Amino acid sequence: MDIFLTNTATRKKERFTPLDADNVRMYVCGPTVYDRAHLGNARPAIVFDVLARLLRHVYGTDHVTYVRNFTDVDDKINARAAAAGRSIGDITDETIGWYLDDMAAVGVQEPDHMPRATQYIPQMVAMIAGLIDSGHAYAAEGHVLFAVDSYKNYGALSGRSVDDMIAGARVEVAPYKRNPMDFVLWKPSSADIPGWDSPWGRGRPGWHIECSAMALELLGESFDIHGGGNDLMFPHHENEIAQSCCAHPDGAFAKVWLHNEMLQVEGKKMSKSLGNFFTVRDLLDQGVPGEVIRFVMLSTHYRKPMDWTEKKREEAEKTLRKWRGLVAGIEAGPVPTAVLSALVDDLNTSGALAELHRLAANGEAAALKAGAELLGLLDDDLGGWDDTQVDLSKWTERLITVRAAAMQSKDFSELDRLKTALTGAGIEVRMSKTGVELVPAAGFDPARLEDLT
C-alpha cells in the first residue's frame, strides 16, 4: 500500500517512494536535554513514532532506520548546570533518563539510534573544515560562520528570501559577521564551559551543525524523511539544508520534510505566564494514563494545531476504558484496511481513530485491537490502568439485587443512593432491561469504593 506525505519542501502531498525500500531512513530532531519534557515536546515524539510504526508495517521491521538525536551541548544546559552546582554530564544524563521514561509512558518506542551531539564532535569539526575549504564558511575571531550568500537556495524550505529574513529577523549583530544572516558553526568556549580542541581554538559547535553531522554519519548523504516541529523550520532546518548540501553537493540530504504543528492548552499558547504550562510527568503524576495523553494527541492531524483540553482528556479516558474492556483477552487480528488507509493518507491519525470507534461500536474486538496497536494504543505494556483490574462484580450483583427489590416495593430510594455513590466514585452505571453494567470512567477512584456501604 502506497504512503502519501505532505512534503514541506514542495508544499504538496506526494506518493512516498523511498530511496532504498530495503533501508527506509528517517531523522527527527529530538530534545535539548536540560529539563523535563513539556506536553508540546511529546507531540513530535508521538507523531513520528506513529510514522515509524507505519513505515515498519509497510516495509518490514528490519528495513527502517529511525534516528532521533539528543542535543546535550547547549547554553541552556550550561546555565542549568551552573545554577544547580552540578556537572553538565549529570544534568544531561538525568534529563535523558527522564525523557525516555516519560516518552515510554506515552507509548513512544525508542528509535534505532539516539545519538548525543557530544558523541559526534569530530564529525562536526570535519564537516566545518570542509565547508571552509569549499568557500561556504569562514573563520573569524575564534568563530566559524556559514556564509549564507554562498548557497543560492537558502530560504527555499521556509519560503523566505534572504532580504526578507534580514529585514524581519532578530539576528545576532557581531562585527565578525560578513552578512547578518550568517550563522555560527563553531564558537569559542571559556574555561568553565564545555569545549573541544579544533583548528579554530577550543570551542563548541553551533546548534545546527550537529544534526547535519549525525544524519550524515548514521543515514548517509541522502535519506528519505526529516521531521520535527514547525518551529524548527527556520532557522534550524533551513540551516541544516544549507550546510549539508554545501558540504556534500552530490547528496540530496532529506528527500521529504515533515513538520508537525504546535500545541495549545484550552485554546491558548502554553506558557508559564498563563499558568497553563505543564510537563508530561505532571500529567502522569496526576494519574492521567500515558495512553490517554497519546490518544488526545492523535485525535488531531499532525499538520493542525493541537488543543489539549480537559474535556478531550476525559473523553479519551472514557473511550480507552471501554475499548480495553472490549479487547480484554482477545488476540489482535490483521490490521483493518480502513485504519491503514487513513494512516497512509498523510498520517491521518484522527481518521484512523474514527475507524476504531466504528469497529468498537460493531464489537469487532480483534480488528479494534490490531488497528489500535498500529497507533500505539491498547498495548499491554502501557501503564497507568491498574484500576481497571478492580473487581466490580460484587457491586454489580448488589445493584442487581437492589434494583429487583425496588421494582417489587416501588421504593427506589436505595437504588438511587447506590447509583449516586457509584457515580461519585467514578463509575459509569449502565442499566437496561437486559442487565446491569459498571464501567470505570474518567476520574475513577478505587479507594472510594471502600467507603461505600
Side-chain angles (χ1 to χ4, degrees):
M1 185 176 284
D2 289 334
I3 299 173
F4 290 82
L5 299 170
T6 297
N7 188 351
T8 306
T10 62
R11 285 22 174 214
K12 296 177 182 178
K13 184 160 65 173
E14 304 169 340
R15 177 182 283 106
F16 173 66
T17 306
L19 297 169
D20 178 1
D22 287 332
N23 184 19
V24 182
R25 287 159 286 171
M26 179 169 70
Y27 186 98
V28 173
C29 290
T32 300
V33 286
Y34 66 97
D35 205 350
R36 286 278 189 187
H38 61 69
L39 194 58
N41 298 142
R43 192 176 195 198
I46 291 171
V47 165
F48 292 103
D49 176 70
V50 173
L51 180 55
R53 290 169 185 261
L54 177 63
L55 291 171
R56 291 191 173 106
H57 180 84
V58 172
Y59 293 99
T61 301
D62 298 329
H63 299 294
V64 175
T65 303
Y66 176 21
V67 179
R68 187 190 65 214
N69 74 297
F70 288 114
T71 296
D72 63 344
V73 52
D74 182 87
D75 289 343
K76 291 179 180 177
I77 300 171
N78 299 339
R80 181 59 57 92
R86 300 171 61 193
S87 75
I88 288 163
D90 282 349
I91 295 290
T92 56
D93 285 349
E94 178 182 63
T95 308
I96 288 172
W98 287 345
Y99 181 84
L100 293 177
D101 287 347
D102 292 348
M103 292 308 104
V106 298
V108 173
Q109 297 174 335
E110 292 190 1
D112 300 288
H113 300 282
M114 296 184 288
R116 299 188 186 195
T118 53
Q119 298 170 335
Y120 290 81
I121 300 295
Q123 290 88 339
M124 297 179 210
V125 170
M127 182 175 281
I128 293 168
L131 287 168
I132 293 175
D133 291 343
S134 60
H136 292 289
Y138 57 94
E141 299 182 23
H143 295 74
V144 179
L145 296 108
F146 183 87
V148 166
D149 58 9
S150 74
Y151 180 58
K152 62 182 176 61
N153 291 326
Y154 191 80
L157 180 70
S158 56
R160 310 180 185 197
S161 72
V162 174
D163 289 342
D164 288 342
M165 286 187 272
I166 292 174
R170 289 177 293 179
V171 295
E172 179 186 358
V173 178
Y176 48 78
K177 280 190 176 186
R178 296 176 184 173
N179 181 317
M181 291 306 299
D182 291 350
F183 58 88
V184 172
L185 300 174
W186 189 263
K187 53 189 174 182
S189 292
S190 59
D192 59 335
I193 60 175
W196 291 262
D197 292 333
S198 80
W200 319 287
R202 182 179 181 275
R204 61 198 190 280
W207 174 31
H208 315 296
I209 193 67
E210 67 176 78
C211 289
S212 288
M214 291 187 285
L216 174 68
E217 183 75 11
L218 296 169
L219 299 177
E221 293 182 9
S222 302
F223 56 94
D224 296 296
I225 298 170
H226 195 312
N230 67 356
D231 58 324
L232 299 179
M233 190 187 309
F234 181 84
H236 185 51
H237 290 164
E238 199 77 74
N239 292 352
E240 279 187 63
I241 292 171
Q243 62 203 11
S244 293
C245 290
C246 290
H248 300 281
D250 294 332
F253 196 46
K255 181 179 179 182
V256 177
W257 286 84
L258 298 181
H259 292 92
N260 64 275
E261 259 285 1
M262 296 296 98
L263 176 136
Q264 299 175 324
V265 176
E266 301 290 350
K268 296 181 180 179
K269 181 179 179 180
M270 186 169 68
S271 71
K272 292 181 180 178
S273 62
L274 293 176
N276 65 351
F277 180 95
F278 45 89
T279 67
V280 174
R281 180 52 51 182
D282 288 337
L283 288 177
L284 296 171
D285 288 347
Q286 290 167 18
V288 179
E291 190 174 21
V292 169
I293 298 172
R294 186 181 185 92
F295 186 103
V296 175
M297 293 280 187
L298 297 182
S299 64
T300 300
H301 193 278
Y302 77 92
R303 289 193 300 109
K304 295 181 179 179
M306 195 261 130
D307 190 16
W308 175 274
T309 68
E310 183 63 18
K311 181 180 179 181
K312 288 181 180 178
R313 184 201 67 76
E314 291 176 355
E315 290 175 346
E317 186 167 340
K318 182 177 179 180
T319 295
L320 286 167
R321 288 186 186 281
K322 179 180 178 182
W323 288 2
R324 282 188 164 265
L326 287 172
V327 304
I330 299 291
E331 290 291 328
V335 174
T337 301
V339 173
L340 194 56
S341 295
L343 292 179
V344 299
D345 182 14
D346 200 21
L347 212 63
N348 185 2
T349 54
S350 56
L353 288 177
E355 178 60 20
L356 295 184
H357 279 289
R358 188 192 68 79
L359 293 169
N362 292 339
E364 299 178 52
L368 170 64
K369 187 168 186 179
E373 287 180 348
L374 183 56
L375 285 166
L377 299 169
L378 303 188
D379 190 312
D380 293 337
D381 293 332
L382 275 173
W385 294 102
D386 292 342
D387 52 32
T388 61
Q389 305 303 315
V390 174
D391 186 3
L392 299 176
S393 60
K394 71 173 184 177
W395 296 106
T396 303
E397 293 170 2
R398 180 172 173 185
L399 200 59
I400 291 172
T401 300
V402 170
R403 183 172 76 157
M407 295 296 288
Q408 289 289 331
S409 66
K410 305 303 181 184
D411 179 0
F412 293 90
S413 57
E414 176 60 15
L415 178 62
D416 291 339
R417 187 197 69 80
L418 186 56
K419 286 170 56 181
T420 299
L422 289 167
T423 301
I427 295 174
E428 182 181 349
V429 180
R430 301 175 183 174
M431 301 179 67
S432 66
K433 292 181 179 179
T434 57
V436 172
E437 183 182 10
L438 300 182
V439 180
F444 174 48
D445 182 0
R448 295 187 65 178
L449 290 176
E450 299 174 5
D451 299 330
L452 297 186
T453 56

